[in-house]
């Protein structure tokens, strides 16, 4: 009898303990979420009187859950109207470069409560078929957001596609443009590595990087190879400067974003006229993955997809030397135009 009573008591204590732990975890998550979603300080007229700030706080509390439901198409028109949600054209676009860290930059900027990201690459301005569908089609591809938030999308093909600067200028001549770059030779090898992985996944053979990057007839750098052309940053930027002043561009150091992301993100916050909200708390180094992951609050963390941070194949050192020598004058001009110098060979 005593044994049964003790067993029953242990069972009750276990249930009560489970309820207590569950409640504590809920409160911790709630506090962490509210800490992230504090009302933002007024910046450049983005935020109104205090009453509006309180509305913004209540609205932001729905961001993780409600906006997710809306993205899945589960919201009614009445819910959208009730929560004052809109699909806004982007006020900033990450235009490139491919394999420079565009996805990492977009996800890290999404840590800021005033930023809402388009999850997929839209490819509106670089795809003739999509562009022909019109600006309303593009706007409807944007995520739901609150009026005081800014929407950002990224499509790295924009940077190298000739028609894109004029098309974006026609949409918004004052838009802010973000370019994230890495050391050109490293970026070219990373570009090759991604294509190689795709070929291997389909059991297809592919040339070695050296054979693609170096013209076998001249033994010089093969400028017809797309991975090489993309890394000539100044050539592409000069095309953009025909439509936009350099002040509308911000250059992000993709190599530094990997090793020391916070200072780079703070520079972007300033460029976008956002109040500083991203802190070291939001970024933690994952030793297993070998790069920084994101912490939105004490419960919700996120790392980039496993496809990020691929191991590069070994490349002949003489080819690397030749590529770096080739890129050097273009790099110097890029530094001069942008006013930002990198420690590239």
């Amino acid at each position: 009898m005593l044994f049964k009573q003790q067993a029953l008591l242990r069972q009750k204590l276990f249930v009560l303990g489970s309820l207590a732990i569950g409640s504590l975890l809920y409160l911790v998550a709630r506090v962490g979420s509210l800490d992230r979603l504090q009302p933002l300080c007024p910046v450049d007229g983005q935020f109104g009187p205090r009453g509006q700030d309180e509305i913004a706080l209540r609205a932001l509390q729905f961001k993780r859950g409600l906006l997710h439901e809306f993205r899945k198409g589960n919201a009614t028109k009445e819910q959208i109207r009730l929560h004052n949600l809109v699909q806004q054209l982007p006020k900033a676009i990450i235009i490139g470069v491919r394999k420079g860290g565009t996805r990492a930059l977009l996800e890290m900027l999404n840590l800021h409560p005033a930023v809402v990201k388009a999850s997929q690459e839209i490819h509106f301005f670089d795809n003739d078929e999509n562009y022909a569908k019109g600006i309303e089609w593009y706007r409807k591809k944007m995520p739901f957001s609150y009026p005081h938030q800014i929407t950002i999308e990224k499509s790295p093909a924009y940077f190298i596609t000739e028609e894109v600067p004029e098309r974006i200028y026609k949409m918004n001549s004052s838009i802010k443009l973000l370019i994230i770059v890495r050391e050109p030779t490293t970026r070219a090898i990373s570009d090759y590595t991604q294509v190689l992985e795709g070929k291997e996944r389909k059991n297809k053979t592919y040339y070695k990087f050296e054979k693609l990057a170096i013209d076998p007839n001249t033994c010089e750098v093969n400028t017809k190879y797309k991975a090489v052309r993309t890394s000539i940053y100044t050539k592409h930027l000069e095309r953009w400067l025909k439509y936009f002043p350099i002040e509308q561009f911000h250059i992000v150091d993709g190599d530094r974003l990997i090793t020391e992301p916070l200072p780079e993100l703070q520079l972007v916050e300033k460029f976008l006229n956002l109040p500083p909200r991203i802190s070291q708390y939001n970024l933690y180094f994952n030793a297993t993955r070998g790069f920084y992951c994101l912490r939105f609050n004490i419960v919700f963390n996120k790392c980039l997809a496993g496809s990020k941070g691929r191991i590069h194949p070994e490349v002949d050192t003489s080819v690397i030397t030749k590529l770096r020598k080739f890129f050097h004058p273009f790099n110097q001009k890029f530094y001069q135009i942008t006013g930002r110098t990198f420690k590239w060979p």
Side-chain angles (χ1 to χ4, degrees), residues 189-241:
I189 295 172
S190 181
D191 196 327
Y192 166 83
T193 304
Q194 178 170 294
V195 175
L196 175 65
E197 184 181 274
K199 297 284 186 182
E200 290 176 340
R201 197 182 303 120
K202 297 176 183 178
N203 294 318
K204 293 183 178 180
T205 57
Y206 196 50
Y207 294 111
K208 292 188 67 175
F209 176 79
E210 293 87 342
K211 190 169 184 179
L212 294 168
I214 304 298
D215 187 321
N217 297 319
T218 64
C219 293
E220 297 299 327
V221 172
N222 179 15
T223 55
K224 294 181 180 179
Y225 180 36
K226 187 176 180 180
V228 168
R229 292 202 315 272
T230 300
S231 285
I232 308 175
Y233 304 138
T234 185
K235 291 290 186 183
H236 305 293
L237 182 58
E238 285 173 342
R239 185 171 58 251
W240 283 86
L241 291 173

Side-chain angles (χ1 to χ4, degrees), residues 3 33 67 76 121 144 151 185 244 263 285 307:
F3 177 77
S33 176
L67 292 186
T76 65
E121 294 179 7
F144 284 100
T151 298
T185 302
F244 299 96
F285 187 77
S307 61

